[in-house]
Amino acid sequence: MCPVILESAPLSRLCIHTITTKPWSIEEAATRYASAGVQGITVWRDALNGRDIAQTGRMLRKTGLSVVSLCRGGFFASPEKEKRRLAIDDNRKAIEEAFLLGAPLIVLVCGADPGQSLDESRKQIKDGIAELIPEAEAAKVKLAIEPLHPMYADSRSAINTLTQANDLAEALQSPQVGVAVDVYHLWWDPRLEEEIDRCGRNNNLLAFHVCDWKTPTVDLLNDRGLMGEGCIPLKTIRSWVEKAGFGGFIEVEIFSLEYWKMDQWEFLKRIVSTYEKFV
Ligand code: ZN
C-alpha cells in the first residue's frame, strides 16, 4: 500500500449525524448545519421524539439538506424469542420512520448478547434482516449492515469485520441490503482495502462514516475524536472507498462527552475545518 495524497473532500459531500451535535434539537442542528455549508444530515431516531416525522423531513429539505440516512435499526440478537420479536417490530417502525422522513437508508447495528455464542447471534441477525427485506423494499428504504469494532462484540454487534458484513450482505442476496463502512470500527483491519473493493464490486457500499481514534481512548463509546486528532488514515481509506465507486456523502459521526460539553457552534466550525483538512 502506498500512501495516497488526495485533494480535500468537497464540502458538498459533508453530512453530519445529529448525535454529533447532541445538545442541539434537530431544528437547530438543521439551521446551523445549513449555515455552515453542510449539505447532508443523518438523523438519529431520538432526535425525532415527539415530532411529526413527515413534517420534519420537509423542514430538513426546506433548509437545503439532503436526508442521508436514519440511525439506527438492528439489535436482532437475543436468547429470548420475545425480545427478538420486539426487535423486529422496532425495525419495522424504523422503516416506517425512514419512509416518512424521506431517508433512503437505515443503518443497522446488528446486536449481540453475552448470554449466547456469537454464531447464534449471527444466525439471528441474518434471519432478522431477511424478515425485513419485503417491507424495506415496499418503502424503498435500504438497509446498511454496519460492522462494529470487536470491542463491542459482547453486546452491540456480532458483525465485527467488513468481511463478515460483506458475507452477510451477499448471502441475503437483496438489492435492499448493503454495508456501511465506518472508519472508527474498521481502520485496524489488514483486509480493509480488499474488502472495500469487494463491497463496491457487489454494489453493496451504501455509506461511509468518519471520525478519528484517540490515544488513549478513555471511554469505549463516547470518546471518538475529530478528524485528524487520531491515528486513522482517513485520506487513504477515502481513496479506497472512492476507488470502489462510492461517490455519496461522507458522514461525520462523533460521540464525545468532551465535545458535547463544548459550544456546539464552535464544534461545528471545527468539524468543517478538520473535514476539509484531513478527510
Ligand atoms: Zn457509524
Side-chain angles (χ1 to χ4, degrees):
M1 179 195 89
C2 54
V4 183
I5 309 298
L6 282 173
E7 285 172 24
S8 296
L11 193 55
S12 61
R13 288 181 59 202
L14 172 57
C15 164
I16 300 178
H17 284 226
T18 54
I19 194 149
T20 299
T21 54
K22 196 178 173 183
W24 280 343
S25 66
I26 191 168
E27 291 79 10
E28 182 163 20
T31 311
R32 302 285 200 155
Y33 293 179
S35 64
V38 177
Q39 296 190 16
I41 187 166
T42 277
V43 176
W44 277 58
R45 291 174 74 192
D46 61 340
L48 295 171
N49 281 344
R51 285 163 176 83
D52 178 317
I53 296 176
Q55 199 178 7
T56 303
R58 285 192 292 275
M59 177 277 291
L60 295 175
R61 282 183 286 278
K62 214 168 141 188
T63 319
L65 295 166
S66 295
V67 182
V68 177
S69 59
L70 181 71
C71 268
R72 59 201 182 187
F75 291 98
F76 299 105
S78 170
E80 291 168 49
K81 201 174 173 191
E82 181 54 23
K83 283 199 180 154
R84 297 201 296 277
R85 176 56 38 210
L86 287 173
I88 296 285
D89 290 347
D90 187 58
N91 279 281
R92 291 206 165 102
K93 197 164 154 248
I95 291 171
E96 196 189 324
E97 288 170 10
F99 176 78
L100 290 170
L101 188 67
L105 182 72
I106 296 175
V107 177
L108 299 179
V109 170
C110 291
D113 191 295
Q116 67 183 14
S117 71
L118 288 169
D119 274 347
E120 191 58 31
S121 290
R122 288 173 191 139
K123 276 189 211 116
Q124 293 167 353
I125 290 164
K126 188 178 173 191
D127 291 348
I129 299 173
E131 197 172 332
L132 295 169
I133 289 173
E135 274 141 281
E137 211 164 43
K140 295 191 168 55
V141 171
K142 293 200 177 199
L143 305 172
I145 299 161
E146 179 173 54
L148 258 54
H149 191 283
M151 69 178 167
Y152 302 118
D154 61 335
S155 57
R156 288 182 175 267
S157 185
I159 308 298
N160 307 105
T161 62
L162 189 52
T163 309
Q164 289 172 323
N166 277 333
D167 287 347
L168 181 55
E170 288 167 27
L172 286 161
Q173 290 188 310
S174 163
Q176 287 326 111
V177 179
V179 167
V181 168
D182 185 325
V183 298
Y184 192 73
H185 299 299
L186 303 176
W187 68 277
W188 55 272
D189 186 345
R191 292 181 51 84
L192 188 56
E193 182 177 10
E194 60 190 285
E195 289 295 329
I196 286 176
D197 179 62
R198 171 184 168 195
C199 198
R201 271 187 282 112
N202 289 293
N203 291 320
N204 280 336
L205 186 41
L206 302 182
F208 180 44
H209 298 173
V210 299
C211 65
D212 216 333
W213 183 282
K214 286 161 72 176
T215 305
T217 290
V218 298
D219 183 302
L220 293 189
L221 202 57
N222 295 318
D223 192 28
R224 295 190 181 202
L226 264 167
M227 294 70 74
E229 199 177 15
C231 54
I232 300 180
L234 288 161
K235 282 184 189 288
T236 303
I237 299 176
R238 175 165 75 93
S239 76
W240 295 341
V241 162
E242 286 172 8
K243 211 168 89 192
F246 181 83
F249 278 97
I250 299 169
E251 306 178 39
V252 173
E253 182 188 30
I254 299 173
F255 322 137
S256 166
L257 298 173
E258 184 189 333
Y259 289 124
W260 288 330
K261 277 187 231 150
M262 230 181 116
D263 176 280
Q264 295 296 285
W265 178 244
E266 289 305 314
F267 180 39
L268 177 59
K269 286 195 284 188
R270 284 183 66 183
I271 291 170
V272 172
S273 65
T274 57
Y275 165 85
E276 288 187 310
K277 193 162 176 197
F278 297 106
V279 182

